Amino acid sequence: MTLPIDPSQIDPEDIGEQQATLEMSHEDAIEHVRDVFTDAGFGVPVEFSPSEMLNEKIDADRDPYYVLGACNPEVADRALDATDNKLGALMACNVVIWEEKPERQRVYHVSIMRIARLVGMAPDNEEMADIVADTGEIVDEAFQNL
């Protein structure tokens, strides 16, 4: 299979990659990130711990790793319309928190809106550009407040 894009040529900005480091416990980081993203206008309808599930199911011995599925309802509604409902396959906008070491957590996010445009799931038009910009502003606000 040939990929439609060359992953080595992708700039982190192309996918809206953002990262932050928090000096706190994993549990406190999850609460903090949830609060900050909620304050920025996201809901968190989905959250789970892949590490807990993998450690339980296959004894993976993974360090703490948590996913917050954040969603801004207004932007999500617009994005579904703009993509003929295809973007739903990538929802929610995940914010990942993993423990690098005790009391040090990495927060990581990529833009599903930007990725959808890169792979052709979303149109490359003004309406989608506005959605990408609006989502980017909300995520930027959240990361500034981490």
Side-chain angles (χ1 to χ4, degrees):
M1 175 174 104
T2 303
L3 295 175
I5 54 177
D6 180 354
S8 68
Q9 300 300 310
I10 296 175
D11 184 294
E13 190 173 304
D14 293 338
I15 58 172
E17 182 180 84
Q18 296 213 35
Q19 299 184 59
T21 302
L22 301 176
E23 302 292 337
M24 59 181 66
S25 74
H26 189 68
E27 293 77 20
D28 287 346
I30 292 167
E31 290 296 320
H32 180 64
V33 172
R34 185 186 302 111
D35 290 346
V36 166
F37 272 77
T38 300
D39 289 347
F42 286 97
V44 182
V46 177
E47 54 185 285
F48 63 101
S49 172
S51 60
E52 285 181 14
M53 187 246 334
L54 293 170
N55 292 345
E56 178 184 312
K57 299 289 184 186
I58 62 170
D59 198 24
D61 194 32
R62 293 213 165 255
D63 291 333
Y65 190 101
Y66 204 82
V67 178
L68 295 173
C71 182
N72 178 285
E74 179 185 302
V75 176
D77 185 52
R78 290 170 46 211
L80 286 171
D81 286 344
T83 64
D84 295 325
N85 292 321
K86 293 176 187 170
L87 196 69
L90 297 178
M91 287 181 172
C93 300
N94 290 330
V95 181
V96 182
I97 304 127
W98 69 81
E99 186 172 79
E100 292 184 330
K101 63 181 184 178
E103 299 299 316
R104 184 182 178 111
Q105 314 304 316
R106 174 70 60 169
V107 181
Y108 183 81
H109 169 78
V110 294
S111 168
I112 64 169
M113 306 300 180
R114 289 177 183 252
I115 291 170
R117 282 176 49 190
L118 282 173
V119 299
M121 287 177 69
D124 189 12
N125 61 22
E126 188 173 323
E127 179 183 19
M128 197 64 200
D130 288 343
I131 293 168
V132 169
D134 291 347
T135 304
E137 288 175 13
I138 300 168
V139 170
D140 287 347
E141 176 186 333
F143 267 84
Q144 289 171 6
N145 292 318
L146 286 176

